[in-house]
Amino acid sequence: MAAGWSGAKSLAKTYGQTAFDAIVAKTPRPEAPTYPTIAEALGAAPANGTKAFRILITRGRWHEKLLVDKPNVHLVGEDRTGSVLTFDAAAGMKRPDGEPWGTWGCASVIVRAPDFSATNLTIENAFDYVGNLAAPKFEPIGPNGAQAVALMLDAGNDRAAFERVDFIGHQDTLFADAGRSLFQDCRIDGSVDFIFGGGNALFERCQLHSRYRPGKERQGYVAVPCTPSAQPFGLTFVTCRLTRDAAIPDGSVALGRAWRPGRTFPDGKYGDPDAVGAAVYVSCWMDAHIDARGWDEMGYTARDGRRVMLRSDDARLFEHDSSGPGAHRSGSRRLLPRERVSAFARERVLDAWRPG
């Protein structure tokens, strides 16, 4: 029996099944249908499945741009760092039709269906961000066109769960823009705005790792929410660790900034006034790369066409019980009122969803 299949059977036992519903592998495996690509395995999932359709991703770099638009798809990696879902599209690069991908289209993995989960694998956008800083390869769109998303949780997603998953990118690594999601014991690597969006995402015991940007005084921003005003929770980090590449200087990374994305309205296109970002750090450890000021402003286009700044005080950006050399006390780093701390318990953040 092949050593790889022995490992697969062990994983199946661990996850409570005698076998997976599909296996992605270079060569056929016994006891479950085997597919040469992840896209083909996703195609085999029921269109309206009511129970988990489990796909084993064997070791390898699977270079595919993936869309999950069926419910209850569960991806399980054979090896956390060896089972890699990767693509390399940036926002400014052109799609097959000649138009740019844009931030909303460039992700390596896009989820548009409920009850998705991923465990024990890596999701990566392998775009050469640092190389592009030195020699841009395309016309910029938005700030620079170098936004390169690894995972996007898009409209239609809800109750997405991630455990022991590594997310690798630089600018805009993880785009949690819709629905509820839970990230446990994950690692997210990036530099500029690398965890962002308007969804309700809870991160527990995750490592938020800042990557070095050569020649940049402001090395990056961690959490960048555009939460709708009526939504009580946005990006919530509980007992996480904020770490850095060794080359990143002290005080050069912001906890984040609130984002007011441009949207089209009957009277024009301008920054969405309903985007009142919410991000909270609860009992997180922070290395010295975190700026003592905490949060930065972020520019947006106002209704009258002026370019204005959205201040951190005009959004919902807080922390509680921070520790480590980056945990400073300053007037610009607002503490979560003590009476509100209990509101950030998991069952309240996730609005009664109990992940299995």
Side-chain angles (χ1 to χ4, degrees):
M1 180 179 292
W5 178 242
S6 177
K9 289 208 301 181
S10 176
L11 279 169
K13 184 177 180 181
T14 298
Y15 291 103
Q17 292 189 187
T18 56
F20 289 91
D21 298 290
I23 297 174
V24 179
K26 304 292 185 185
T27 57
R29 299 286 182 92
E31 298 186 32
T34 304
Y35 299 89
T37 68
I38 299 172
E40 289 175 86
L42 291 172
N48 295 295
T50 57
K51 64 177 183 178
F53 186 86
R54 298 214 172 177
I55 302 173
L56 174 67
I57 312 295
T58 61
R59 293 178 181 87
R61 291 183 60 81
W62 303 94
H63 187 263
E64 305 177 53
K65 197 171 189 308
L66 300 171
L67 171 64
V68 180
D69 57 2
K70 298 176 179 179
N72 284 295
V73 170
H74 293 197
L75 304 182
V76 179
E78 189 175 37
D79 183 289
R80 177 169 176 167
T81 60
S83 300
V84 182
L85 285 59
T86 184
F87 204 71
D88 52 3
M93 289 180 171
K94 292 182 179 180
R95 304 184 307 232
D97 65 2
E99 294 298 315
W101 283 108
T103 305
W104 275 260
C106 68
S108 302
V109 178
I110 299 175
V111 180
R112 293 181 180 151
D115 299 303
F116 174 81
S117 80
T119 305
N120 200 50
L121 49 77
T122 294
I123 299 175
E124 172 190 74
N125 192 311
F127 168 68
D128 183 9
Y129 178 86
V130 172
N132 188 74
L133 286 178
K137 299 175 177 62
F138 42 74
E139 290 295 322
I141 63 169
N144 55 25
Q147 305 90 339
V149 179
L151 170 73
M152 181 181 185
L153 300 178
D154 202 357
N157 154 79
D158 192 27
R159 301 182 299 273
F162 301 85
E163 186 175 5
R164 301 190 310 280
V165 176
D166 292 346
F167 300 90
I168 300 175
H170 244 288
Q171 182 171 351
D172 293 4
T173 303
L174 199 163
F175 193 0
D177 203 40
R180 292 166 290 176
S181 54
L182 174 63
F183 299 79
Q184 295 178 299
D185 302 303
C186 294
R187 173 172 167 144
I188 305 101
D189 285 21
S191 55
V192 176
D193 305 343
F194 67 95
I195 304 172
F196 73 115
N200 176 5
L202 173 60
F203 299 82
E204 296 180 337
R205 304 180 305 278
C206 292
Q207 182 178 0
L208 320 177
H209 188 80
S210 292
R211 300 182 69 183
Y212 179 60
R213 296 199 302 150
K216 300 296 183 179
E217 182 177 357
R218 173 54 91 205
Q219 280 290 309
Y221 315 86
V222 181
V224 181
C226 58
T227 322
S229 61
Q231 183 176 303
F233 302 105
L235 306 177
T236 304
F237 305 92
V238 179
T239 59
C240 293
R241 292 178 59 85
L242 281 63
T243 60
R244 58 172 163 173
D245 284 353
I248 294 180
D250 289 355
S252 63
V253 174
L255 287 173
R257 52 186 182 173
W259 176 37
R260 191 157 278 176
R263 304 198 192 282
T264 300
F265 299 94
D267 58 348
K269 183 175 181 180
Y270 45 86
D272 185 355
D274 188 53
V276 185
V280 177
Y281 293 91
V282 178
S283 300
C284 292
W285 183 90
M286 304 173 182
D287 204 349
H289 63 305
I290 298 301
D291 192 333
R293 294 171 296 174
W295 308 91
D296 275 6
E297 299 177 331
M298 191 173 189
Y300 69 97
T301 301
R303 180 177 292 179
D304 61 7
R306 292 180 302 119
R307 190 68 176 169
V308 297
M309 303 301 292
L310 179 61
R311 302 180 310 158
S312 60
D313 286 353
D314 293 329
R316 295 167 286 171
L317 309 176
F318 296 95
E319 58 188 301
H320 169 74
D321 188 33
S322 298
S323 62
H328 300 276
R329 288 291 185 94
S330 71
S332 58
R333 293 178 67 158
R334 290 185 293 173
L335 299 180
L336 187 66
R338 187 168 297 278
E339 63 273 14
R340 292 191 55 208
V341 174
S342 62
F344 289 87
R346 182 201 289 184
E347 62 273 13
R348 297 186 69 176
V349 173
L350 297 180
D351 192 22
W353 166 43
R354 299 178 182 274

